[in-house]
Amino acid sequence: MMNDVIEFLKNYIWKNGFDKLSENPFDIYRAMVRSKKGKEGISSKTARLVLITLMSKTHEKAKKGCSVDELTDFIQMEHCVNKKTARDLASMYLELFSDENKQSWEDAKEAGFEEFCKEDWTVEWDGRCDWHTKHHRSYPCSAEASLTFSVRDKKQLHSHLSPELKANPFLSADEIYRILARQIEDDLDSDMMRYCDADDYYEPYLEEFVGEGTYESEAKWKSWGLDIIEFTGSGDVDFGP
């Protein structure tokens, strides 16, 4: 039974990082219960024991290093469970944070970031908003853009991504791409709204949106350590029939 818990928590750490064990113990409990789905696996009782020991930060004591007797005493003192149950839980946490597992995590730390920095990446974006005229009319606007970039300065990009990498140092290259793509797309959405509503008399010339309307965002992306290889786009205003 505890082997299933160890495998579950190992996979959880790979996907989410160590911090989430302390931040979201109830989410982990629910995921453990859902993982059973009527099959042999982690029982609800065991999942509850894992929940309360995560809440008391038992895993942090195991990660820092202690004996099985010390951890058993801590669990008994915190949760008033019998000694066998406490020892089973203590052994589980100490096996989870064994020297072998900790070395594997250390070896894999930020490997996804290093891989990301070696490649070129492309973000394809489609935007929609309305141009509001002085005559209280609104016209739909659409635009599209393709941005290809590489990493020029790893240190700058690492600084930009420090909250995400601190929370989960095991992010894959694809996960890092999705984070940056979402940020870039949000910037383009905001840029387009400002560009289209910059003048309520003259219609926005969306053929010039990329460059003219994205100047500040491009400067910001460069400050993240990105090198813009190619950035093209087009757009239109729909005046209807």
Side-chain angles (χ1 to χ4, degrees):
M1 184 69 71
M2 286 302 179
N3 287 335
D4 292 332
V5 176
I6 292 169
E7 286 304 308
F8 179 91
L9 292 178
K10 278 176 64 177
N11 289 332
Y12 189 89
I13 290 169
W14 280 118
K15 292 177 183 176
N16 302 282
F18 298 112
D19 290 351
K20 294 297 183 183
L21 294 179
S22 299
E23 293 173 8
N24 300 316
F26 195 71
D27 287 348
I28 296 170
Y29 163 75
R30 288 187 296 188
M32 292 175 75
V33 172
R34 284 197 302 267
S35 71
K36 187 178 179 183
K37 295 182 179 178
K39 302 176 183 178
E40 287 297 322
I42 302 168
S43 69
S44 297
K45 179 180 178 181
T46 301
R48 288 194 297 273
L49 290 169
V50 173
L51 168 63
I52 62 172
T53 49
L54 288 174
M55 292 176 68
S56 66
K57 308 259 190 304
T58 304
H59 58 289
E60 292 185 3
K61 293 181 72 69
K63 186 182 176 185
K64 290 176 182 177
C66 62
S67 70
V68 67
D69 289 335
E70 289 172 329
L71 202 56
T72 298
D73 291 343
F74 173 79
I75 293 170
Q76 279 198 283
M77 180 181 66
E78 288 290 320
H79 303 296
C80 302
V81 295
N82 64 53
K83 188 165 186 175
K84 181 184 182 306
T85 298
R87 195 172 189 85
D88 287 345
L89 288 162
S91 298
M92 181 274 293
Y93 279 114
L94 290 171
E95 186 173 342
L96 175 65
F97 291 105
S98 66
D99 290 342
E100 181 182 356
N101 285 342
K102 286 194 287 188
Q103 188 60 54
S104 295
W105 286 317
E106 185 62 29
D107 292 343
K109 187 177 180 182
E110 298 192 4
F113 175 78
E114 294 296 328
E115 180 185 347
F116 180 86
C117 292
K118 297 175 183 177
E119 304 291 335
D120 295 346
W121 302 86
T122 298
V123 175
E124 302 287 350
W125 170 83
D126 290 295
R128 300 285 186 277
C129 71
D130 290 332
W131 170 45
H132 302 96
T133 73
K134 64 186 300 181
H135 303 295
H136 307 293
R137 296 282 302 274
S138 294
Y139 296 97
C141 300
S142 61
E144 60 183 19
S146 177
L147 170 67
T148 300
F149 65 88
S150 61
V151 178
R152 173 183 50 80
D153 190 314
K154 288 168 58 174
K155 186 176 180 180
Q156 284 183 309
L157 182 59
H158 192 281
S159 178
H160 173 67
L161 293 170
S162 60
E164 291 84 1
L165 290 171
K166 183 178 182 300
N168 184 6
F170 312 121
L171 288 171
S172 69
D174 286 339
E175 287 169 329
I176 290 172
Y177 165 76
R178 285 193 286 271
I179 291 169
L180 290 175
R182 185 166 59 248
Q183 294 174 344
I184 289 169
E185 288 165 356
D186 287 345
D187 286 340
L188 289 172
D189 288 340
S190 298
D191 287 345
M192 185 178 177
M193 290 179 65
R194 285 193 296 269
Y195 188 76
C196 287
D197 267 341
D199 193 308
D200 61 5
Y201 184 77
Y202 291 104
E203 67 182 83
Y205 187 49
L206 286 165
E207 289 294 329
E208 299 294 332
F209 168 63
V210 170
E212 187 175 281
T214 60
Y215 179 81
E216 291 183 3
S217 288
E218 290 182 61
K220 179 168 68 172
W221 303 333
K222 290 176 182 177
S223 77
W224 297 350
L226 303 184
D227 182 29
I228 298 175
I229 299 171
E230 185 177 26
F231 190 18
T232 59
S234 63
D236 195 15
V237 180
D238 183 3
F239 291 101

